[in-house]
């Protein structure tokens, strides 16, 4: 609560100071412009409409008769900007001291959604890319304050999180390895905020700060963005600094102690310098109860701040400086045992027999009791921040853009990897620190009346290392779990007590690229859009881990038992490779209502490196598994974007991606291979279809999206066996034809909002009711398909009911998971493959109220 209170007090202080200064900067008053603002259809006056003189801070609101008075020192003519909630904003040139202004209701026409994904401002319906655009206000109303919540609005997005580091962000089932994160792999989904690439997946766990819009691009985008993206990209734009004063504040309260505060203010500091400052803070009590500590766990404790300066020395130059920092310090994460799988090991090696011999019983029957029994304290401190400078310079018929950025990530965890209250694994702490520097220079614009495009250079340098050391440690119960023979030596007192590994690792990465994409208007209706990219990647890896603790002995037999749990490992690798990739699209714009396109592209994801421990064979570390081959994507897509009417859109996409040497995360029975290891599946195919649309009526807005996704291993002949086959005759199997993990064959969302005019305590505005429903069918939660690690399909319903006032004040009640559905987001086998697996349990019903004010 202290972080939230600090945010609120600081925000109030800044707002008061800001408006005090603005009050002193009003123009000299020597004339008056008066007028009335009316509803264009009914002719009724609009009370509380905002009227501002364009390019100034001088404005007013209409009174109870829809009238306004503006006192100004400006000479006529000048332009007024008139806006009112639920109506289309209007600019009107005023030539007389008395005016009447009519506003059209916005509900009868869908406004164009303007995006910047192709490095220029254009309508989303005109772009030959399947793209979903979520406005910041829409995300806020739906309670989507991070990517995890956003996936319920965009069904082609999959996000799996067991903690901030172990985050998998995929589009159409592709992008990052499913399961626990291995730092040696590059993501296939680009994550950009204000043009800056965020390299670490932990960024997706942080709260959004003052978001204007989120563009989700599907399919390879390497010829448009700095970093190569083989599966798609998130292009997030925050609300920028403005020379027009503005401010907003929001406060939410909910069950389980949920408190969230947001605030921002913006305005001019001088004629050429503007600023924006934004805060967000979120807190919530733990949703689980740890019976071992008798304390709640898995809470939320987030705070973030973002500051911007906008400098416009001339009309052709715009320079933006942005700094941000976000910090998470939850008491978590810990997860309950969701089930036990009978393996093919001997009876004495089955999980239930092991814990029975140790006199232990799980203190809950179901993961949905929301209890855990963890003897290791949980910690997941996650901090991320940085600084960027962006310069946009208009040159000729285009814009030269330079984006320079430095970002950092600091991760301080502590986990209980066995998911139970016995001292099996007592410490799991993969402390990491990350620095990245990036530079992008590109030019976008028209080359001739029929040719336009973008060309750019990109460089990314990363330094990811243990901070200062990563620790894994076993406890006194480890002997019984690791026991693989009936030898009495396993019972040797203290053999595994405090036996562990200390690992130092460092990955220094360089990624350099040149990319270009053109748009050739063969005719007014037919466009050819080729793109090409050359990428150079280099990785230098140092890995060293050393065992410590346990019984100090020279007995060869006892040392052999210890090596079955942990071994010393070390390797170095220095790898570099260049690669060409690209695409070609053919677009046919029949008219303003019909836009069809076909795309063929090839993508590339660079080499991966295993830095979570390597498997062993016959007592020898399999060093040859340190490097993982690059991944190649062959992608084909056909889409149609239509506007059946002024108030509706309907889009349809078909696609197929064939991947060679698919980089995947696999599990191994060895407890010393932390988080599994990376491997290549020979051939993978993902294909599907997507349908989305929206329609607006006078009092009702509806939107829907449906996705069919079919993902398979076409060829994976040497995959590790699933959990239930551990201990069998073979450690590997052919899973060709098996389904890819994390992909639901069917997923979809449907939502709507209805509103009606009304008053609340004399304040005019709109009452509204909104409902969103998300559905996904069953999916596999194991890299090697398992009959046990499958998650049943589920649907979630969220809703909101409230009032939006014409003066910028709104308030509403909201609920998430209205019907209190019990569901899993992910299932994770415990290290060592003893049989138990944890369930990442989705949030139960959440509800609360929000009050918001926008100036």
């Amino acid at each position: 609560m202290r972080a939230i209170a600090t945010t609120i007090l600081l925000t109030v202080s800044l707002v008061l100071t800001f408006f005090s200064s603005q009050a002193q900067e009003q123009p000299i008053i020597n004339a008056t412009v008066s007028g009335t603002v009316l509803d264009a259809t009914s002719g009724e006056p609009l009370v509380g409409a905002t009227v501002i003189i364009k390019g100034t801070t001088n404005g007013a609101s209409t009174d109870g008769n829809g009238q306004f008075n503006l006192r100004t020192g400006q000479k006529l003519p000048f332009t007024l900007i008139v806006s009112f909630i639920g109506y289309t904003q209007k600019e009107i040139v005023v030539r007389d001291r008395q005016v009447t202004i009519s506003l059209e209701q916005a509900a009868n026409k869908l406004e164009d959604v303007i995006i910047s994904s192709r490095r220029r401002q254009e309508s989303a319906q005109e772009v030959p890319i399947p793209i979903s655009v979520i406005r910041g206000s829409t995300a806020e109303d739906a309670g989507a304050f991070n990517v995890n919540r956003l996936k319920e609005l965009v069904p082609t997005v999959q996000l799996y999180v067991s903690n901030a580091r172990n985050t998998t962000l995929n589009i159409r089932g592709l992008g990052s390895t499913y399961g626990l994160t291995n730092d040696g792999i590059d993501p296939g989904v680009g994550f950009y905020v204000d043009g800056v690439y965020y390299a670490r997946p932990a960024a997706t766990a942080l709260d959004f700060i003052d978001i204007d819009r989120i563009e989700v691009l599907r399919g390879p985008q390497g010829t448009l963005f700095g970093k190569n993206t083989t599966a798609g990209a998130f292009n997030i734009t925050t609300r920028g600094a403005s020379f027009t004063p503005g401010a907003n504040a929001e406060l939410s309260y909910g069950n389980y102690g949920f408190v969230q505060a947001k605030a921002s203010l913006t305005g001019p500091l001088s004629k050429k310098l503007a600023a924006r400052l934004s805060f967000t803070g979120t807190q919530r009590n733990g949703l689980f109860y740890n019976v071992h500590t008798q304390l709640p766990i898995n809470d939320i404790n987030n705070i973030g701040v973002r500051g911007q300066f906008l400098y416009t020395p001339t009309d052709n130059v715009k320079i933006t400086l942005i700094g941000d920092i976000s910090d998470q310090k939850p008491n978590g994460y810990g997860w309950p045992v969701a089930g036990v799988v009978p393996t093919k090991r001997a009876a004495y090696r089955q999980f239930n027999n092991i814990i029975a011999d140790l006199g232990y019983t799980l203190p809950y029957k179901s993961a949905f009791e929301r209890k855990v029994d963890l003897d290791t304290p949980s910690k997941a401190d996650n901090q991320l921040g940085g600084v960027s400078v962006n310069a946009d310079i208009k040159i000729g018929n285009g814009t030269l853009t330079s984006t320079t950025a430095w970002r950092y990530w600091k991760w301080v965890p502590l986990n209980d990897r066995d998911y139970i209250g016995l001292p099996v694994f007592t410490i799991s702490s993969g402390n990491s620190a990350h620095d990245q520097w990036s530079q992008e220079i590109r030019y976008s614009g028209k080359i001739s009346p029929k040719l336009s495009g973008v060309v750019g250079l990109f460089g990314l340098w990363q330094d990811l290392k243990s901070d200062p050391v990563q620790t894994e440690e076993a406890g006194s119960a480890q002997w019984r779990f690791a026991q693989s023979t009936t030898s009495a030596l396993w019972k040797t007192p203290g053999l595994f007590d405090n036996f562990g590994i200390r690992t130092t690792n460092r990955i220094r990465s360089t990624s350099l690229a040149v990319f270009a994409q053109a748009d050739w208007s063969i005719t007014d209706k037919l466009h050819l859009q080729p793109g090409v990219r050359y990428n150079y990647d280099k990785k230098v890896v140092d890995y060293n881990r050393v065992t410590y603790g346990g019984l100090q002995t020279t007995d060869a037999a006892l040392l052999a038992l210890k090596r079955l749990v942990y071994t010393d490992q070390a390797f170095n690798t220095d790898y570099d490779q260049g690669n060409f990739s690209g695409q070609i699209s053919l677009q046919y714009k029949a008219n303003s209502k019909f836009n069809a396109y076909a795309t063929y592209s090839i993508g590339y994801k660079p080499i991966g490196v295993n830095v979570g421990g390597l498997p062993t064979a016959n007592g020898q570390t399999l060093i040859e598994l340190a490097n993982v081959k690059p991944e190649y994507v062959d992608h084909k897509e056909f889409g149609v974007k239509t506007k059946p009417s002024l108030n509706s859109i309907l889009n349809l996409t078909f696609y197929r991606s064939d991947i060679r040497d698919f980089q995947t995360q696999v599990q191994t029975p060895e407890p010393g291979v932390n988080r599994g290891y990376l491997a290549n599946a020979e051939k993978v195919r993902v294909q599907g279809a997507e349908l989305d649309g929206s329609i607006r009526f006078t009092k009702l807005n509806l939107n829907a999206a449906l996705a069919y996704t079919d993902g398979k291993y076409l060829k994976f002949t040497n995959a590790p066996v699933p959990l239930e086959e551990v201990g069998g005759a073979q450690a590997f199997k052919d899973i060709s034809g098996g389904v890819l993990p994390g992909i639901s064959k069917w997923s979809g969302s449907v939502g709507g909002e209805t509103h009606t005019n009304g008053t609340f305590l004399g304040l005019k505005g709109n009452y509204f009711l909104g409902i969103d429903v998300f559905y996904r069918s069953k999916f596999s939660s194991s890299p090697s398909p398992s009959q046990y690690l499958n998650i049943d399909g589920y649907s979630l319903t969220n809703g909101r009911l409230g009032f939006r006032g014409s003066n910028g004040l709104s308030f509403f009640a909201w609920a998430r998971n209205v019907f209190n559905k019990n569901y899993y987001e992910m299932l994770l086998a415990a290290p060592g493959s003893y049989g138990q697996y944890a369930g990442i349990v989705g949030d139960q019903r959440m509800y609360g109220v929000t009050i918001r004010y926008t100036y």
Side-chain angles (χ1 to χ4, degrees):
M1 292 297 294
R2 182 176 299 175
I4 297 294
T6 301
T7 299
I8 294 171
L9 290 173
L10 183 57
T11 301
V12 171
S13 174
L14 288 169
V15 169
L16 292 176
T17 302
F18 173 75
F19 285 116
S20 175
S21 67
Q22 291 301 316
Q24 297 172 12
E25 295 178 6
Q26 294 299 317
I28 298 173
I29 299 170
N30 63 8
T32 302
V33 173
S34 302
T36 306
V37 180
L38 305 174
D39 181 297
T41 302
S42 67
E44 293 184 359
L46 297 179
V47 180
T50 301
V51 183
I52 296 176
I53 299 175
K54 187 175 183 179
T56 75
T57 63
N58 192 7
S61 297
T62 56
D63 60 19
N65 297 315
Q67 297 177 346
F68 67 92
N69 288 289
L70 278 173
R71 307 196 70 183
T72 176
Q74 289 190 245
K75 295 180 180 180
L76 294 172
F78 52 75
T79 302
L80 294 180
I81 302 174
V82 187
S83 58
F84 186 72
I85 187 170
Y87 288 74
T88 301
Q89 182 175 288
K90 188 173 187 178
E91 293 190 12
I92 182 170
V93 178
V94 178
R95 303 183 186 278
D96 299 312
R97 297 295 179 185
Q98 185 70 37
V99 294
T100 300
I101 304 167
S102 298
L103 295 184
E104 300 278 353
Q105 289 197 32
N108 293 321
K109 182 180 178 181
L110 278 177
E111 297 180 23
D112 273 347
V113 178
I114 304 301
I115 63 171
S116 59
S117 294
R118 293 207 303 172
R119 307 315 193 186
R120 57 185 185 264
Q121 300 293 309
E122 54 191 341
S123 167
Q125 284 297 105
E126 298 292 322
V127 175
I129 300 173
I131 183 170
S132 300
V133 183
I134 306 296
R135 298 179 187 271
S137 57
T138 301
E140 289 165 351
D141 287 348
F145 59 84
N146 57 28
V147 177
N148 197 27
R149 298 279 181 94
L150 189 70
K151 68 186 181 185
E152 297 168 15
L153 301 177
V154 186
T156 51
V157 171
Q158 298 92 30
L159 184 76
Y160 304 101
V161 181
S162 58
N163 61 38
R165 178 198 193 136
N166 294 320
T167 300
T168 299
L169 177 61
N170 284 350
I171 294 176
R172 297 170 169 171
L174 301 174
S176 298
T177 57
Y178 182 87
L180 300 174
T181 298
N182 193 308
D183 290 332
I185 197 88
D186 284 31
V189 175
F191 193 82
Y192 294 85
V193 179
D194 291 329
V196 178
Y197 175 70
Y198 285 27
R200 300 313 308 159
T204 60
L206 299 174
D207 290 0
F208 293 143
I209 304 178
D210 213 8
I211 297 299
D212 179 65
R213 68 181 181 276
I214 302 159
E215 302 165 15
V216 182
L217 289 78
R218 307 189 288 274
Q221 307 297 332
T223 60
L224 285 174
F225 286 86
K227 187 69 172 71
N228 205 14
T229 57
T230 57
F234 272 69
N235 187 35
I236 297 175
T237 303
T238 67
R239 298 180 178 113
S242 173
F243 288 95
T244 301
N248 61 71
E250 178 181 306
L251 187 61
S252 299
Y253 287 93
N255 59 338
Y256 300 103
F258 179 83
V259 181
Q260 185 173 73
K262 300 178 183 178
S264 70
L265 64 156
T266 186
L269 301 179
S270 68
K271 289 184 178 180
K272 296 184 177 181
L273 183 65
R276 188 179 193 96
L277 186 62
S278 308
F279 297 93
T280 181
T282 307
Q283 292 190 341
R284 190 206 63 203
N285 297 336
L287 299 183
F288 285 75
Y289 178 74
N290 188 350
V291 299
H292 193 91
T293 62
Q294 299 187 24
L295 293 172
I297 193 173
N298 293 11
D299 59 10
I300 295 177
N301 184 19
N302 304 345
I303 192 166
V305 61
R306 186 178 189 86
Q308 300 186 48
F309 290 99
L310 171 62
Y311 178 53
T312 55
T314 70
D315 291 341
N316 292 328
V317 178
K318 184 174 73 172
I319 299 173
T320 304
L321 172 67
I322 302 176
D324 70 280
I325 184 170
S326 295
D327 198 29
Q328 294 180 325
K329 292 187 182 295
N331 178 21
Y333 300 82
W335 304 108
V337 173
V340 177
V341 173
T343 69
K344 293 195 173 183
R345 288 171 170 165
Y348 74 92
R349 300 192 66 193
Q350 301 297 321
F351 175 78
N352 288 331
N353 291 330
I354 293 172
I355 63 173
D357 288 350
L358 294 172
Y360 176 77
T361 303
L362 284 171
Y364 49 86
K365 301 296 183 184
S366 167
F368 297 119
E369 294 179 33
R370 301 184 187 273
K371 295 179 182 179
V372 296
D373 184 23
L374 306 176
D375 57 317
T376 299
S378 292
K379 187 178 183 179
D381 293 355
N382 183 43
Q383 188 178 94
L384 188 145
V387 178
S388 67
V389 179
N390 186 88
D392 289 316
I393 305 169
K394 292 182 180 179
I395 300 176
N397 293 320
T399 301
L400 178 68
T401 299
S402 171
T403 304
T404 307
W406 165 76
R407 298 204 61 78
Y408 79 95
W409 172 59
K410 189 174 180 65
W411 172 246
V412 184
L414 184 60
N415 303 303
D416 193 325
R417 295 178 63 209
D418 50 74
Y419 311 132
I420 60 176
L422 289 173
V424 185
F425 296 102
T426 56
I427 296 177
S428 178
S429 183
N431 297 32
S432 298
H434 175 260
D435 287 275
Q436 70 170 72
W437 300 263
S438 61
Q439 175 65 58
E440 183 171 350
I441 300 174
R442 66 179 182 274
Y443 182 80
S444 175
K446 276 189 171 293
I447 301 170
S448 71
K450 288 186 173 293
L451 185 64
S452 63
V454 59
V455 59
L457 300 170
F458 177 75
L460 175 68
W461 299 266
Q462 300 182 67
D463 189 358
L464 176 60
K465 56 189 175 184
S466 51
D467 185 32
V469 66
Q470 298 176 348
T471 305
E472 300 285 332
E473 188 174 293
S476 59
Q478 177 62 240
W479 73 269
R480 184 61 185 88
F481 282 80
Q483 184 180 4
S484 57
T485 69
T486 56
S487 169
L489 290 177
W490 289 99
K491 299 181 181 180
T492 303
L495 181 61
F496 297 108
D497 292 8
N498 305 116
F499 177 50
I501 48 175
R502 295 189 179 99
T503 303
T504 56
N505 58 63
R506 187 177 188 183
I507 306 174
R508 286 165 288 178
S509 303
T510 299
S511 181
L512 304 175
V514 56
F515 58 94
Q517 183 166 307
D519 187 337
W520 176 32
S521 301
I522 301 173
T523 69
D524 290 341
K525 296 181 179 181
L526 189 64
H527 289 239
L528 184 67
Q529 297 170 345
V532 66
R533 177 187 184 91
Y534 176 77
N535 219 80
Y536 168 80
D537 293 284
K538 179 180 178 66
K539 290 186 178 180
V540 179
V541 181
D542 300 296
Y543 181 88
N544 183 56
R545 82 179 198 192
V546 179
T547 57
Y548 71 91
L551 181 66
Q552 299 304 299
T553 178
T554 58
D555 188 306
L558 294 178
L559 291 175
L561 296 185
K562 292 178 70 175
R563 281 195 294 270
L564 291 175
V565 177
Y566 291 128
T567 58
D568 295 339
Q569 291 187 9
F571 66 87
N572 307 92
T573 183
D574 186 340
Y575 167 87
D576 68 298
Q577 181 174 328
N579 181 269
F580 279 99
S581 57
Q583 71 157 51
I584 187 166
S585 294
L586 187 64
Q587 181 181 16
Y588 178 67
K589 300 179 182 179
N591 50 51
S592 61
K593 295 182 178 181
F594 184 87
N595 175 21
Y597 60 92
T599 299
Y600 173 73
S601 63
I602 54 174
Y604 159 83
K605 191 160 71 167
I607 190 172
V609 184
N610 276 302
V611 288
L614 295 173
T616 61
N618 301 317
Q620 299 297 315
T621 303
L622 301 178
I623 298 295
E624 64 272 19
L625 296 179
N627 290 349
V628 183
K629 289 186 289 186
E631 179 180 293
Y632 297 89
V633 180
D634 184 283
H635 179 78
K636 296 169 280 288
E637 189 159 306
F638 172 77
V640 177
K641 295 185 176 184
T642 68
K643 292 182 179 180
S645 64
L646 288 176
N647 65 329
S648 65
I649 62 172
L650 185 65
N651 302 328
L652 178 64
T653 306
F654 298 94
Y655 67 91
R656 172 168 172 156
S657 294
D658 291 278
I659 302 101
R660 176 166 54 90
D661 292 327
F662 178 71
Q663 296 172 343
T664 183
Q665 179 95 350
V666 296
Q667 296 294 319
T668 173
E670 294 188 48
V673 182
N674 188 15
R675 293 185 292 276
Y677 68 97
L678 299 170
N680 292 106
E682 295 94 324
K683 292 182 181 179
V684 161
R685 184 210 65 208
V686 178
Q687 61 185 8
E690 299 158 348
L691 179 69
D692 65 86
S694 61
I695 187 168
R696 295 186 93 173
F697 300 102
T698 302
K699 300 292 184 181
L700 178 65
N701 307 328
L702 296 173
N703 58 81
L706 179 66
Y708 171 81
T709 311
D710 178 31
K712 289 183 179 180
Y713 295 106
L714 291 185
K715 185 180 182 182
F716 194 2
T717 56
N718 202 34
V721 297
L723 183 58
E724 64 267 29
E725 296 181 31
V726 168
Q730 297 182 356
F732 297 90
K733 69 178 296 187
D734 186 344
I735 61 171
S736 301
V739 298
L740 288 176
I743 297 179
S744 290
K745 186 154 285 190
W746 292 97
S747 61
S749 63
V750 60
E753 183 176 294
T754 181
H755 55 87
T756 184
N757 297 336
T759 60
F760 180 82
L761 298 178
L763 174 63
K764 284 196 173 185
N766 291 326
Y767 287 95
F768 65 91
L769 170 66
I771 297 175
D772 299 295
V773 180
F774 167 74
Y775 167 78
R776 66 178 304 181
S777 60
K778 71 175 183 178
F779 61 97
S780 167
S781 191
S782 173
S784 293
S786 165
Q787 61 177 310
Y788 293 94
L789 300 181
N790 295 315
I791 295 178
D792 292 334
Y794 59 87
S795 63
L796 302 174
T797 301
N798 307 320
R800 56 197 177 275
L801 172 65
F803 179 80
R804 296 189 183 101
S806 59
N807 65 346
L809 178 67
S810 63
F811 50 88
F812 55 95
W814 47 265
R816 297 182 56 81
N817 191 3
V818 171
F819 299 107
N820 206 27
K821 173 68 176 179
N822 285 327
Y823 66 99
Y824 292 116
E825 294 193 345
M826 197 174 182
L827 299 174
L828 291 174
S833 301
Y834 306 123
Q836 83 274 34
Y837 59 90
I840 312 302
V841 179
D843 291 350
Q844 60 266 59
R845 182 191 297 122
M846 311 289 292
Y847 54 85
V849 294
T850 295
I851 184 169
R852 181 186 299 152
Y853 179 72
T854 301
Y855 168 80

